Amino acid sequence: MRTFMYIFCLMVWGLNFIAVKIQGTPVSLEVSLTYRLFGAALLFIILAIFTRPKGFPKRKDLFPIITFGICNFALSYLFLYYGTIWSNAALVTLIFSLKTVLTPISLKIFLKEKLEPRILIGGIIGLMGVVVMVYPILAHDFAINYIKGICIALLGTMLTSIGDASSARNAKHNLNPVYSNSLGGAVAAVLLLIISIFQGQEFYLPTTPSYIGALLYLTVVASFAAWMFYLNLVKQIGAAISSYMVALFPAIGGVASVLIGESEPSIYLVFGCLLGCLGAAVALNFFQYITRLGMNKRVAEGGTR
């Protein structure tokens, strides 16, 4: 079951931006995201009502939870949505994997946690991957929307890292993630609703299979089910090991982007995704974990002889 949950989260979140691309823009991105956030928040609120877990937030926890909701759900999702539509899902997935570097930097800034040199090295490798993927576009077919997509995806990833720092603060104060996701998601949904109304967006639900399927995937599977599996994984194997899946997001996003016909297979795509995976792995200290795992296995085998 543990292996299934790990692979489930890896595949679902690795395909997150592919689903956004498939969903498209029959309504505005703000409206689509409003639907998703209200749906996910409702699911978490129902879960909180029925399970009533410990770790209910206090008044002093409201600001960090609101920050978490706005940065991790509302604005970061919106910017990443736009980045996906303006550029491509493979590149945005690669950019999003840079959160393995940006989150520790946010933890250093806001929570005064130690910043390891490997994180900066991983960040440099990851940025090299972005440059490799972007190079052929800039060299042969310069498009301002593509550059805007890259920049806004980077901004969305930065906001995600701030939200992650807020989430880490909430965890240190023993807040249950179900409550954080319920309240934070509700705040994010209301903010997107206000933005959509202020912009004069039209609210209606497209009934095409691609839109409904992508919306259900993003709301129920990616925002709720995968989150629940991830929380179980954190309890069973720890947050560090659970987070290693982020290192494979660029590879999954790159392959899927080719399969749906969004990207052409090229050496730039392959090396960009590989550098993204490598950078995330270095930042997460994955190779040291594998080495330690191998040493423990050899020790165990030696003890049984």
Side-chain angles (χ1 to χ4, degrees), residues 204-268:
Y204 72 95
L205 186 64
T207 56
T208 59
S210 60
Y211 186 88
I212 295 296
L215 180 61
L216 288 173
Y217 177 90
L218 291 166
T219 303
V220 180
V221 181
S223 295
F224 181 73
W227 254 107
M228 295 311 301
F229 281 161
Y230 184 76
L231 293 176
N232 275 302
L233 282 172
V234 170
K235 288 180 183 177
Q236 294 183 29
I237 61 178
I241 299 174
S242 298
S243 65
Y244 290 154
M245 67 180 71
V246 179
L248 293 175
F249 285 177
I252 294 170
V255 170
S257 181
V258 171
L259 291 178
I260 67 171
E262 181 197 34
S263 301
E264 293 290 333
S266 69
I267 195 70
Y268 296 104

Side-chain angles (χ1 to χ4, degrees), residues 47 96 117 139 146 154 168 170 185 201 225 230 245 257 259 290:
L47 180 66
F96 185 71
Y146 210 95
L154 278 169
N170 294 337
Q201 303 288 358
Y230 184 76
M245 67 180 71
S257 181
L259 291 178
I290 293 296

Side-chain angles (χ1 to χ4, degrees), residues 6-79:
Y6 200 96
I7 294 174
F8 182 87
C9 293
L10 172 64
M11 296 302 297
V12 166
W13 285 338
L15 296 172
N16 212 17
F17 301 112
I18 297 294
V20 172
K21 199 75 171 188
I22 292 172
Q23 187 179 39
T25 55
V27 292
S28 73
L29 294 176
E30 289 83 357
V31 171
S32 290
L33 186 52
T34 300
Y35 294 155
R36 175 184 179 179
L37 292 175
F38 267 113
L42 179 61
L43 290 172
F44 274 108
I45 289 170
I46 292 172
L47 180 66
I49 291 172
F50 278 96
T51 59
R52 295 186 180 277
K54 296 179 180 178
F56 193 81
K58 300 175 183 177
R59 182 177 297 180
K60 66 178 182 179
D61 301 317
L62 290 180
F63 180 74
I65 291 176
I66 291 171
T67 302
F68 164 69
I70 291 174
C71 291
N72 239 22
F73 295 144
L75 297 183
S76 64
Y77 277 8
L78 183 60
F79 292 164

Side-chain angles (χ1 to χ4, degrees), residues 82-94:
Y82 270 104
T84 302
I85 299 301
W86 287 344
S87 57
N88 68 60
L91 181 57
V92 172
T93 305
L94 173 57

Side-chain angles (χ1 to χ4, degrees), residues 123-173:
I124 293 171
I125 297 172
L127 284 173
M128 288 170 59
V130 174
V131 171
V132 168
M133 283 189 68
V134 171
Y135 170 74
I137 293 113
L138 298 184
H140 303 105
D141 186 25
F142 183 87
I144 189 64
N145 264 3
Y146 210 95
I147 303 303
K148 284 164 59 179
I150 294 169
C151 293
I152 203 166
L154 278 169
L155 180 57
T157 306
M158 291 177 188
L159 286 172
T160 300
S161 72
I162 296 173
D164 287 345
S166 297
S167 179
R169 179 268 172 202
N170 294 337
K172 286 185 176 182
H173 285 73

